[in-house]
Amino acid sequence: VVAQIIDLIRKKRDGLALSQAEINAFVQGVTDGSAPDYQLSAFLMSVYLNGMSVEERVWLTQAMVHSGDVLDLSHLSARKVDKHSTGGVGDKVSLCLAPAVAACGVVVPMVSGRGLGHTGGTLDKLESIPGFKTRLSTSDFLDVVNQCGLVFAGQSDDIAPADRRLYALRDVTATVESLSLITSSIMSKKLAEGIDGLVLDVKVGSGAFMKTLDDARALAGALISVGKHCGVGVTALLTDMDQPLGLAIGNGCEMAESIEVLKGGGPGDLVELTVAIGAEMLVLGGVAEDTDEGWRAMQRVLNDGSALERLRTVISLQDGDPGVCDDESLFPQPKLTASVCADTDGFINGFDTERLGRIVVDLGGGRRQMTDIVDPSVGIMIAKKRGEAVTRGDVLATIDAAEQQALDNAIEAVRSSIDIGSQPAVHKPLILEVLR
Amino acid sequence: VVAQIIDLIRKKRDGLALSQAEINAFVQGVTDGSAPDYQLSAFLMSVYLNGMSVEERVWLTQAMVHSGDVLDLSHLSARKVDKHSTGGVGDKVSLCLAPAVAACGVVVPMVSGRGLGHTGGTLDKLESIPGFKTRLSTSDFLDVVNQCGLVFAGQSDDIAPADRRLYALRDVTATVESLSLITSSIMSKKLAEGIDGLVLDVKVGSGAFMKTLDDARALAGALISVGKHCGVGVTALLTDMDQPLGLAIGNGCEMAESIEVLKGGGPGDLVELTVAIGAEMLVLGGVAEDTDEGWRAMQRVLNDGSALERLRTVISLQDGDPGVCDDESLFPQPKLTASVCADTDGFINGFDTERLGRIVVDLGGGRRQMTDIVDPSVGIMIAKKRGEAVTRGDVLATIDAAEQQALDNAIEAVRSSIDIGSQPAVHKPLILEVLR
C-alpha cells in the first residue's frame, strides 16, 4: 500500500482530483492500518492546502461511512432525522429537541460527543443525571430507539473507524480546520446512523468555531452539498453565538434548564432555537408540511407535557433516574456559590462567550484533554442577557464552584467577560439564515 | 515538544515565515526524536506547498549542520573545496576531478553517495576497485585527507543526522522535490565537511532530475544564495544531460574511463567538464586567479601524471589496489558481452538517457532499493555520441552483462534508446551556463 498512498499524496499535492477508486484505496489503508501515520498526515496537509471537489468529498464521506458498521433502522416506518451542532457555549438544544421531535413522530437516533475545549458536550450534560448511561451496545441502542423513538448515545467504536483515526491525526498535525475534512468527518458519522435527514446548527460568533458569517455559510454549503449527493436531506441554520444560549453554562445546570424548556418554560432564545430546529426536522421527517406546521407541533409538545414524557422514558431506558424531571435537587449540587454584581449602571452589550466557556472548564466543568473528568455540579448562570438594562449592584451571573480559589478566579473572569455599555446594544436575531 | 511542533506546522501551513528560534526548535525535535514522524511529514508538506524564504532556508541549513558533527579541517592551511552533482548518467566527473584538484593544491574532502534509481553513485564506482573502502571513521577520514589532500568517503552517521531523518521521510511522503528542502539537505551535508567553497554541477535534460533549464537555474540560485549567507563560496555550472557523459555507464567501466582521463586521455566531453569544474574549484580554493589559469592548471596535472599519482595514493590509503591504474583487467570482468549495431544509415540525434541508466540498473549495476547489491562488472559502453554519423552495421554500443536473459533484454532496450535521424543533430554545448 505504501507505493499506492504516495501516488495519492503526490496527486493531491499537485492539486489534482482523486478518483473514487483512489479515495477508496486511501480509506482502506486508513482502516486496515496499512497506511502509516506519516503518509496520512502528509496527505491530510495536502488536502488542507489544496482542497477537494464536491465529488471527492462525497466519495471520502461514503468510503468513511463504509469503513465500519452502518446502523439499519429500516424496520422503523417513521423517518429518522438527527441534528448536528458545530458547538457553542450553553448549547443544550439537543436535550430539549430530541424528546420533542420524537414526541411529534419522527425517530431521533442521536449520536453525540463530549465537551473539549470551551464548548460543552451533550453526553456530559446527560451524565449529570444520576445513573444515566451513554455507552450503549448496538443492540441496546436499537432497543431504546425502538421503544421510545429516540436514543442518546456516544459514538460506537464500530462507527466510521477511518474517521476516528484521521481525526486523531488531524488534531496533532494542524489539519482540523479544512472544509473538506470537516465535512467528510461530520457527514460520515451521521450517515452511518442510517438517517434520512439532518439539520445542522452552524454557530457563528465569539463563542463558535466559525467566527464569521461567510465561514459559517461555506461550511453549511459544503455539508448540504455532500448530504444531497449522499441522498440525505440537509437543512442548515446559521445561528448567533455571540452570547451563551439560554442562561446556564455547565453540565448539571444545562440539563436542568433543558427540563424547564420541556415543561413549557425556559429562556426565550433556547426555546426559539429548539422550536426552529425541531420544525425543520419535522419537515425533513415528513410529519409537517412546512415549517409553520412544524413550529405549531413543536410548541404543542413542549406545552402539553408529551415531550417531557419522552425524556422521562428515555432516561429510564438508559438507566438514569427520571426523578430529576420533578426534583432539580437530584442533580449533583455545587459546594460553593457566589454572585457577580454590576459595578456600574448601563446595558449589557455583549459577552466574551468563548471565555465564559473556558471559565467553566477552569471550574472543572469541561476538559482540556479527552481524559479529564468532568464535574457536573459547577457552572455559570447568566442573569442578564444582551440588551438588558442593569443597575449598579444587580446580579449579572451566579457561579457554582467546587473550591474557593477556582471560585475567586471565576468571579473576576466572569465580570470582565461581560461588556456593559452606556447605550443599549443593537438587536441581533438569533437565527441568522436558513439554508436548505 | 508536541505542542511546539504543531504551532510551527500551523504557521507554515498558513504561509507565514518561521523565526530562527522556531526552526532550531523544529530541528531539535527532529534530532532528539521528540517530534513524531506524523508531525514532521505534515510540516514537510506545508513547506513543500508554501515554501521558505532565503532566511528560513539558511536557518534550516545551519540547524541541520549543527544537528551532528562538523569536521574541523582548519589545521590544513590550504582551502577546502568540494563538488556536488545533482546526478546524471555516466557522470564520473568526481573521480577525475578530486585527484586533479588535489594535485593543484586545493584540499578535497569529498563526501559522496550511492546510486539509487537511474543515476549512479561515486561510492559504487570506487568500490569496483578491489579492496577499496569508503566507510571511514572520522579519524581515518582526517588521516587520508592529511596525507594526500583528498579523500573519498560515504556520509558518516554523525554528519547532519537531522537531514537523514527528514530525507527518509520525504522519500515516502512525496516531499522530495521542494527547492527549500533540497537546498537545506544538500548544503547542510556539505557545510558539515568544513569546506570553504563548493562547485555545483546541476544537470539538465532527459537523464537528469531537472528536466528544464529554468528548474535548474532555480535550484542553482537557491543553493548559491544559501551558500552565500553561510559564508561559503558557491559556483554552479548548469550542464547538459541529454546524453550520457563520456562513453561508459556502469561502475567498473566508469572507474576505468576516469583513469583514462587522469592519464591525459578519455572522451572529450568528460575531460571538458572535469577541467571546467576543476577550474572553478581552483578559483574558490585560491590557487588560481581566474578560470583561465584554472583551466591551464587542470590540463597540466591531467597530462603530467600528477593527478593520476594522487589517485594511486588515495586508493592505497583507502585499502584499494592501485594496480588498477595500470591494468584494467584487475577490475571485475563481465561474463557476457554483446554489441548493438545500427540497422540504418544516419546521424545520432539523441538518447533516452534516463532509460540507459535504468537499463544498467536492470543489468544489476544499480539499485531499485537502497539494500540492493550492485554488480561492478556490468554496464554499457556507448560507441557513438550525439552528432556522429553512422553507417548500417556500425557498433552503436557494447553491453556487459552477467546473464543471457538480461543481456538480450538490454540489447533491444539500448537500440530503442538511441535516436538515429537522417540529418545531423544541432550542436548543443555541454556547459550551458555558469552562475556564481
Side-chain angles (χ1 to χ4, degrees):
Chain A
V1 165
V2 172
Q4 230 174 344
I5 298 284
I6 199 173
D7 293 339
L8 307 185
I9 299 172
R10 193 174 288 118
K11 259 182 111 164
K12 189 41 74 184
R13 175 198 83 183
D14 294 343
L16 302 173
L18 300 176
S19 69
Q20 185 166 16
E22 287 171 329
I23 287 180
N24 286 345
F26 171 75
V27 173
Q28 179 68 39
V30 175
T31 311
D32 66 19
S34 59
D37 282 349
Y38 54 81
Q39 289 193 323
L40 300 185
S41 63
F43 182 84
L44 292 170
M45 183 56 79
S46 61
V47 171
Y48 184 99
L49 290 170
N50 288 332
M52 278 187 158
S53 68
V54 171
E55 270 191 325
E56 289 176 282
R57 291 174 185 176
V58 170
W59 292 330
L60 180 58
T61 301
Q62 288 172 336
M64 296 215 295
V65 167
H66 294 292
S67 71
D69 289 351
V70 180
L71 287 181
D72 181 5
L73 299 175
S74 58
H75 59 285
L76 297 171
S77 57
R79 286 200 208 158
K80 298 90 203 169
V81 180
D82 196 4
K83 168 249 181 186
H84 177 81
S85 163
T86 58
V89 174
D91 179 9
K92 69 281 287 177
V93 169
S94 291
L95 303 168
C96 314
L97 188 67
V101 170
C104 293
V106 173
V107 171
V108 187
M110 188 164 269
V111 176
S112 305
R114 297 195 175 275
L116 185 61
H118 72 281
T119 61
T122 298
L123 298 182
D124 296 325
K125 296 168 194 175
L126 286 161
E127 286 173 355
S128 69
I129 301 169
F132 195 92
K133 281 200 192 123
T134 60
R135 255 186 105 86
L136 303 180
S137 67
T138 303
S139 75
D140 286 347
F141 184 100
L142 292 173
D143 272 357
V144 175
V145 82
N146 287 343
Q147 287 184 63
C148 75
L150 85 148
V151 62
F152 286 116
Q155 197 189 327
S156 134
D157 286 353
D158 303 325
I159 293 281
D163 174 66
R164 192 170 19 262
R165 184 168 174 211
L166 289 182
Y167 195 87
L169 262 182
R170 286 165 59 201
D171 199 37
V172 291
T173 56
T175 51
V176 169
E177 306 92 335
S178 152
L179 222 49
S180 300
L181 298 175
I182 294 171
T183 304
S184 53
S185 175
I186 294 175
M187 293 305 289
S188 64
K189 284 179 287 201
K190 289 296 174 186
L191 292 178
E193 294 170 26
I195 53 173
D196 306 298
L198 178 64
V199 178
L200 297 163
D201 181 6
V202 181
K203 303 290 190 189
V204 193
S206 69
F209 178 55
M210 296 288 163
K211 304 293 181 197
T212 72
L213 198 53
D214 278 346
D215 287 349
R217 272 192 202 114
L219 176 60
L223 289 161
I224 289 171
S225 67
V226 167
K228 195 171 107 182
H229 284 84
C230 294
V232 169
V234 177
T235 299
L237 286 80
L238 310 192
T239 69
D240 177 60
M241 190 34 71
D242 260 346
Q243 66 177 341
L245 189 64
L247 303 174
I249 316 171
N251 296 297
C253 61
E254 288 195 45
M255 192 68 232
E257 188 171 74
S258 303
I259 292 169
E260 287 308 306
V261 171
L262 293 170
K263 288 177 171 170
D269 59 346
L270 177 58
V271 175
E272 180 188 348
L273 193 53
T274 300
V275 170
I277 295 176
E280 300 290 346
M281 290 174 75
L282 298 185
V283 171
L284 287 174
V287 304
E289 278 290 318
D290 53 29
T291 50
D292 280 354
E293 196 184 323
W295 274 74
R296 287 193 298 273
M298 284 295 292
Q299 283 172 315
R300 193 182 59 242
V301 297
L302 291 178
N303 290 316
D304 71 6
S306 53
L308 182 65
E309 200 49 43
R310 288 286 172 143
L311 180 67
R312 268 191 234 277
T313 308
V314 80
I315 291 175
S316 295
L317 289 171
Q318 297 192 224
D319 296 343
D321 178 359
V324 293
C325 296
D326 307 299
D327 180 1
E328 216 178 286
S329 74
L330 294 175
F331 285 109
Q333 294 300 306
K335 292 206 187 69
L336 302 168
T337 295
S339 294
V340 178
C341 297
D343 48 14
T344 178
D345 295 349
F347 299 88
I348 305 286
N349 276 355
F351 295 86
D352 184 341
T353 314
E354 180 168 336
R355 189 161 176 212
L356 289 172
R358 295 203 184 278
I359 296 167
V360 174
V361 175
D362 291 340
L363 286 167
R367 288 185 186 81
R368 286 190 195 83
Q369 301 173 39
M370 265 335 279
T371 47
D372 290 348
I373 306 240
V374 165
D375 182 342
S377 73
V378 302
I380 302 170
M381 289 296 296
I382 301 291
K384 304 257 183 191
K385 302 252 310 187
R386 194 172 55 211
E388 288 188 56
V390 293
T391 305
R392 188 186 161 92
D394 278 358
V395 172
L396 297 174
T398 311
I399 302 170
D400 292 337
E403 48 177 52
Q404 193 61 45
Q405 185 60 55
L407 181 60
D408 291 344
N409 294 343
I411 290 170
E412 283 322 297
V414 167
R415 190 192 309 281
S416 64
S417 303
I418 303 176
D419 175 20
I420 300 177
S422 58
Q423 298 296 320
V426 176
H427 175 72
K428 240 186 177 172
L430 173 61
I431 298 169
L432 306 169
E433 274 176 37
V434 179
L435 305 173
R436 290 185 181 94
Chain B
V1 165
V2 172
Q4 229 173 345
I5 299 284
I6 199 173
D7 293 339
L8 307 185
I9 300 172
R10 193 174 288 117
K11 258 182 115 166
K12 189 42 71 184
R13 175 198 83 182
D14 294 343
L16 302 173
L18 301 176
S19 70
Q20 184 166 16
E22 287 170 328
I23 287 180
N24 286 344
F26 171 74
V27 173
Q28 179 68 39
V30 174
T31 310
D32 67 18
S34 59
D37 282 349
Y38 54 80
Q39 289 192 323
L40 300 185
S41 63
F43 182 84
L44 291 170
M45 183 56 81
S46 61
V47 171
Y48 183 101
L49 290 169
N50 287 333
M52 277 187 159
S53 69
V54 172
E55 271 192 324
E56 289 175 281
R57 290 174 186 178
V58 169
W59 293 329
L60 180 57
T61 301
Q62 288 172 337
M64 296 216 295
V65 167
H66 295 291
S67 72
D69 289 352
V70 180
L71 287 181
D72 181 6
L73 299 175
S74 58
H75 59 285
L76 297 171
S77 57
R79 284 199 210 160
K80 298 89 204 170
V81 180
D82 197 4
K83 168 250 181 185
H84 177 81
S85 163
T86 58
V89 175
D91 181 8
K92 71 280 287 176
V93 169
S94 290
L95 302 169
C96 315
L97 189 66
V101 171
C104 293
V106 173
V107 171
V108 186
M110 188 166 269
V111 176
S112 306
R114 298 195 175 274
L116 186 60
H118 71 282
T119 61
T122 298
L123 297 183
D124 296 325
K125 295 168 196 176
L126 286 161
E127 287 174 356
S128 69
I129 301 169
F132 195 92
K133 281 200 192 122
T134 59
R135 256 187 103 86
L136 303 180
S137 68
T138 302
S139 75
D140 287 346
F141 184 100
L142 292 172
D143 273 356
V144 176
V145 83
N146 288 343
Q147 287 184 63
C148 75
L150 83 150
V151 61
F152 285 116
Q155 197 189 326
S156 132
D157 285 354
D158 303 325
I159 295 280
D163 174 66
R164 192 169 21 264
R165 183 170 176 210
L166 290 182
Y167 195 87
L169 261 182
R170 287 165 60 202
D171 199 37
V172 292
T173 56
T175 50
V176 169
E177 307 93 333
S178 153
L179 222 49
S180 300
L181 299 175
I182 293 171
T183 304
S184 53
S185 174
I186 294 175
M187 293 305 290
S188 64
K189 284 180 288 202
K190 290 295 175 187
L191 292 177
E193 292 169 27
I195 53 172
D196 305 298
L198 179 65
V199 179
L200 298 163
D201 182 6
V202 181
K203 303 291 191 188
V204 192
S206 69
F209 178 56
M210 296 288 164
K211 304 294 180 197
T212 72
L213 198 54
D214 278 347
D215 286 350
R217 272 195 202 111
L219 177 59
L223 289 161
I224 290 170
S225 68
V226 167
K228 195 172 108 182
H229 284 85
C230 293
V232 170
V234 177
T235 300
L237 287 80
L238 310 193
T239 69
D240 177 58
M241 192 32 71
D242 259 345
Q243 64 177 343
L245 189 64
L247 303 173
I249 316 171
N251 296 297
C253 61
E254 289 194 45
M255 193 67 232
E257 189 172 73
S258 304
I259 292 171
E260 287 308 306
V261 172
L262 294 171
K263 288 178 172 170
D269 59 344
L270 177 58
V271 175
E272 181 187 349
L273 194 53
T274 300
V275 170
I277 295 175
E280 300 290 347
M281 290 173 75
L282 298 186
V283 171
L284 288 174
V287 303
E289 278 290 320
D290 53 29
T291 51
D292 280 353
E293 196 184 323
W295 274 72
R296 288 193 297 272
M298 285 295 292
Q299 282 171 318
R300 192 179 60 241
V301 298
L302 292 179
N303 289 315
D304 70 7
S306 55
L308 182 65
E309 201 46 45
R310 289 286 171 144
L311 181 66
R312 269 190 235 276
T313 309
V314 80
I315 290 175
S316 296
L317 290 170
Q318 297 192 224
D319 296 344
D321 178 358
V324 294
C325 296
D326 307 300
D327 181 1
E328 214 178 285
S329 74
L330 294 175
F331 285 110
Q333 294 300 305
K335 291 208 187 66
L336 303 168
T337 294
S339 294
V340 178
C341 297
D343 49 12
T344 178
D345 296 348
F347 299 87
I348 305 287
N349 276 356
F351 295 86
D352 184 341
T353 314
E354 179 168 337
R355 190 162 175 212
L356 288 172
R358 294 202 185 278
I359 296 167
V360 174
V361 175
D362 290 341
L363 286 166
R367 287 185 187 81
R368 287 190 194 83
Q369 301 175 36
M370 265 335 278
T371 48
D372 291 348
I373 306 240
V374 164
D375 182 344
S377 72
V378 303
I380 302 169
M381 289 295 297
I382 301 291
K384 304 257 184 193
K385 302 250 315 188
R386 193 172 56 208
E388 288 189 55
V390 294
T391 305
R392 188 186 161 92
D394 279 358
V395 172
L396 297 174
T398 311
I399 301 170
D400 292 337
E403 48 177 52
Q404 193 61 46
Q405 186 60 56
L407 181 60
D408 292 344
N409 294 342
I411 291 171
E412 283 321 298
V414 168
R415 191 191 310 282
S416 64
S417 301
I418 303 176
D419 176 21
I420 300 177
S422 56
Q423 299 294 321
V426 176
H427 174 72
K428 240 184 175 173
L430 173 61
I431 298 168
L432 305 170
E433 275 177 33
V434 179
L435 306 172
R436 292 186 180 92

